[in-house]
Amino acid sequence: MDPQVHGKFNDLVESMNKRFGPTNQEGMFRVLLKSTVQKDKESFPDLAHAIRRLTKNAYPNVPYTTVESIARDHFIDAIANPEVQKIVYYKEPQTLDEAVRVAIKVTAHLDKQENTGKKSVKAIEAKQEVTLDIVYDTLQMMTKCMNELKVSLRKMQPKRARSCYRCGRAGHLAKECSTVPTKRCYKCHTPGHIRSECPQATRNKKNRCPENADN
């Protein structure tokens, strides 16, 4: 083989080893492991399986117990639900499998609480609706009874006899009165004349006349 061609071949092999060799693959798997996050609707066992596989490839020369601890920590960090993640962390599982079991139990418990809470809210809302219907029906019935009572009270009250404002007698109105209206003076309050014809007013006027003449 031409030495020049052989040299280029060796350079190519070296480049391939640098790119796809075991050392660089470990780094790639570690990056993938750190960026792994639980997908939507991804189960905890599936997430744990993916993390265990990446951990083994990222740390091929590390003891099994250490690999399990690393995989457990990355599994907890990858849990999508923050509340589940926090509870699993405080439970301090020793292995990846134990962390998976704790996550499944915690999720089931939270789902049960959520469903119970929704049922309680619906029951309270239904009870409130029934109570409001009862109150509304009761108010309607009370209003009807009050109206009926008012009608009964009006019927029980004696009818007032019609009275005439002209003569003061009962049995007819002023427009039906046959009594001739009597003049009444608003000055001296004496019947028989009006104020302009009042003798008292005329007398007072005459008494003031001499004084006006002297002035």
Side-chain angles (χ1 to χ4, degrees):
M1 181 181 291
D2 188 355
Q4 187 176 3
V5 173
H6 183 71
K8 290 182 178 180
F9 177 77
N10 290 335
D11 292 340
L12 178 62
V13 171
E14 186 178 355
S15 299
M16 293 293 289
N17 286 330
K18 287 182 180 179
R19 177 67 180 83
F20 300 104
T23 304
N24 286 326
Q25 281 188 342
E26 292 175 10
M28 179 187 66
F29 283 122
R30 289 176 186 177
V31 171
L32 291 174
L33 183 61
K34 289 181 180 179
S35 61
T36 300
V37 180
Q38 186 180 18
K39 301 179 181 65
D40 187 27
K41 296 182 180 180
E42 184 180 16
S43 66
F44 291 117
D46 291 342
L47 176 64
H49 176 73
I51 287 178
R52 179 178 275 124
R53 180 176 56 82
L54 289 173
T55 307
K56 288 180 178 179
N57 292 327
Y59 302 95
N61 300 320
V62 177
Y64 174 78
T65 55
T66 305
V67 170
E68 278 292 298
S69 299
I70 295 172
R72 174 204 61 198
D73 294 340
H74 281 289
F75 171 79
I76 296 174
D77 292 338
I79 295 175
N81 190 322
E83 190 172 0
V84 176
Q85 184 186 62
K86 182 170 63 176
I87 295 175
V88 174
Y89 175 79
Y90 283 117
K91 288 289 184 179
E92 296 182 352
Q94 298 301 312
T95 63
L96 176 60
D97 292 335
E98 186 180 350
V100 172
R101 288 194 295 270
V102 173
I104 292 173
K105 288 182 179 179
V106 171
T107 302
H109 179 69
L110 293 177
D111 291 342
K112 183 178 179 181
Q113 280 188 334
E114 184 178 358
N115 293 332
T116 304
K118 289 180 179 179
K119 289 180 181 178
S120 299
V121 170
K122 289 182 180 179
I124 292 172
E125 291 177 350
K127 187 175 180 180
Q128 289 177 344
E129 289 179 0
V130 172
T131 304
L132 290 174
D133 290 340
I134 293 173
V135 172
Y136 179 76
D137 293 340
T138 304
L139 289 174
Q140 290 287 96
M141 187 180 299
M142 291 176 64
T143 303
K144 184 178 179 180
C145 292
M146 289 293 294
N147 293 333
E148 292 177 354
L149 182 61
K150 288 179 181 179
V151 173
S152 300
L153 289 174
R154 289 196 193 100
K155 291 180 179 180
M156 292 173 62
Q157 290 179 351
K159 294 183 179 180
R160 294 185 300 174
R162 297 188 302 173
S163 58
C164 176
Y165 290 105
R166 181 178 296 175
C167 64
R169 297 174 183 173
H172 65 276
L173 301 177
K175 63 182 181 179
E176 303 169 351
C177 185
S178 58
T179 304
V180 178
T182 304
K183 295 180 180 179
R184 181 177 293 275
C185 176
Y186 290 104
K187 176 70 176 177
C188 64
H189 305 289
T190 304
H193 63 274
I194 59 177
R195 181 172 180 174
S196 59
E197 302 171 354
C198 181
Q200 185 176 352
T202 305
R203 187 165 53 251
N204 292 338
K205 187 175 182 181
K206 288 180 179 180
N207 290 336
R208 287 197 300 271
C209 286
E211 296 177 2
N212 296 332
D214 296 338
N215 293 334

